[in-house]
Every structure is written in structure tokens, then in C-alpha cells.
Amino acid sequence: MIGKLKGVIDAIGEDHLVLDVHGVGYLVHCSSRTLQRLPGTGEAAVLAIETHVREDMIRLYGFRSEAEREWFRLLQSVQGVGAKVALGILAVLEPGEVAQAVASGDKAAIARGPGVGPKLAARIISELKDKAPAATPIDPSLARVAEAGSEEGAAPSTVADAVSALVNLGYPQMQASAAVAAAMKSAGEDATTQVLIRLGLRELAR
């Protein structure tokens, strides 16, 4: 199975690109958001790859981050969501925004994806609210700040509530605390719980 490809972009289509890896051109399907953010033809690129193997074909899907690929996998675990719909959702929402929509029950945000109606959006939120992908590592210095605040018992209720929300989504306690600490550092001590959750999810999705 192919998990990552590093090469030179040979061509870019409407929903795919051809990546030249040592003279072999791999056709990789991507969301429109991913294609827009990649460098141009002739430039180097690295993509996380999800390989789908069927009796009659092998299809590669490319992503700019592991978090995006993980949400692509999770979305397809929901009945009625295939690769096309999952890519459509990731074309209109960043991984952190998908996580935020699932956490807050924002069906309207999920329904922005092509082919996603209200019922499917509700099903996605219901089935994925306890299955958020594992977080990427957080800056150790921020983790120490979060840990110190927790030990001193000085965390305000907004911070505690934000950390609790991220933990309920499936993120480890330490990483959730570090993400909220980073969020509070950028948003200020007067930030609301919802702001801290949103910024914390953005940190975790990096």
C-alpha cells in the first residue's frame, strides 16, 4: 500500500494531479482545496496517500496533512458517505473545522459539502462525535504551560470546559490541555469557551 508520495507535479486536473516520482507518474485524486493549495506544475510536492484497492482498479487519494487523511477515512465509516462525498466535505472545511462542526453539532456546516443533505449531516455528527482522530504533537513548551496551570488549579472554568470538550472528542488529556493553552495564548484570557474550543481544534489539526 502507498502511504506517502514525494515528487514533482507533472499535471493538475479538475479533481486530480499527476505526481512524477522518479519517472513514474501517479494519478492522485484530491479535493479542490488541496489542489488549490499545492504548488504549480513542475514544483515539488509531498502528499499523504490513501490507497483504495478494488477488483477492477487501484485509486490513490492525496492530502496535505495526516489529519486531513484521517478525516477522509472517518467520514467514509459513516453509512452513505463514499470517497466523493468525503472529499467534497474536505473541500469546503478544514480538518479542524470538521472537528469543530462535529463537536458542536453544526449540521449546517457539514451540509455545505456537495451531496450532503440534513439527514446525512446529522448521521455524520452522531456517528463521529466520539471518534475524533488522534491529535498531532503539540509544542512541548505549551504542554508544560498547560500542565503547570492544571497542577496549580488556577485554570478558569472556560479553560476547563474547553479542555473537557476536546477530551470528549477523543483527544488525549495532555494534548487537549496544550491546545487550549495555545488557544488562550493567542486569544487572551478573556476568550470564551467556544473560542478556545475552536482555536484548540485548529491547533490539534495542524
Side-chain angles (χ1 to χ4, degrees), residues 5-198:
L5 286 175
K6 180 179 181 180
V8 175
I9 298 175
D10 192 59
I12 298 179
E14 185 178 343
D15 62 352
H16 67 277
L17 60 83
V18 176
L19 194 66
D20 186 324
V21 182
H22 301 302
V24 178
Y26 291 88
L27 193 153
V28 184
H29 294 268
C30 304
S31 71
S32 58
R33 182 189 293 269
T34 294
L35 291 173
Q36 290 167 5
R37 295 189 176 184
L38 287 173
T41 302
E43 299 292 328
V46 179
L47 290 171
I49 299 294
E50 180 73 5
T51 306
H52 283 193
V53 179
R54 297 181 181 176
E55 292 183 1
D56 57 344
M57 71 169 189
I58 297 177
R59 178 166 289 192
L60 305 180
Y61 296 91
F63 309 92
R64 294 177 63 250
S65 69
E66 292 293 336
E68 186 180 18
R69 179 172 65 177
E70 188 64 22
W71 274 108
F72 178 71
R73 291 172 175 170
L74 278 175
L75 287 166
Q76 290 179 86
S77 70
V78 177
Q79 182 181 0
V81 178
K84 184 176 180 179
V85 170
L87 279 183
I89 293 173
L90 291 170
V92 298
L93 297 174
E94 294 277 8
E97 292 172 331
V98 178
Q100 181 187 346
V102 170
S104 61
D106 189 349
K107 292 184 290 185
I110 299 295
R112 287 170 55 197
V116 181
K119 289 184 178 180
L120 182 56
R123 188 184 306 144
I124 289 171
I125 289 171
S126 175
E127 295 188 18
L128 298 186
K129 62 184 178 181
D130 297 323
K131 298 180 181 179
T136 52
I138 297 294
D139 184 337
S141 64
L142 292 175
R144 287 193 292 273
V145 169
E147 187 175 34
S150 176
E151 289 174 351
E152 293 167 3
S157 60
T158 53
V159 171
D161 290 345
V163 172
S164 177
L166 295 181
V167 170
N168 288 338
L169 276 174
Y171 292 104
Q173 176 76 36
M174 192 65 253
Q175 289 177 324
S177 297
V180 172
M184 187 166 65
K185 185 176 181 180
S186 63
E189 296 183 357
D190 294 330
T192 65
T193 299
Q194 289 302 317
V195 168
L196 292 178
I197 292 172
R198 183 177 72 251

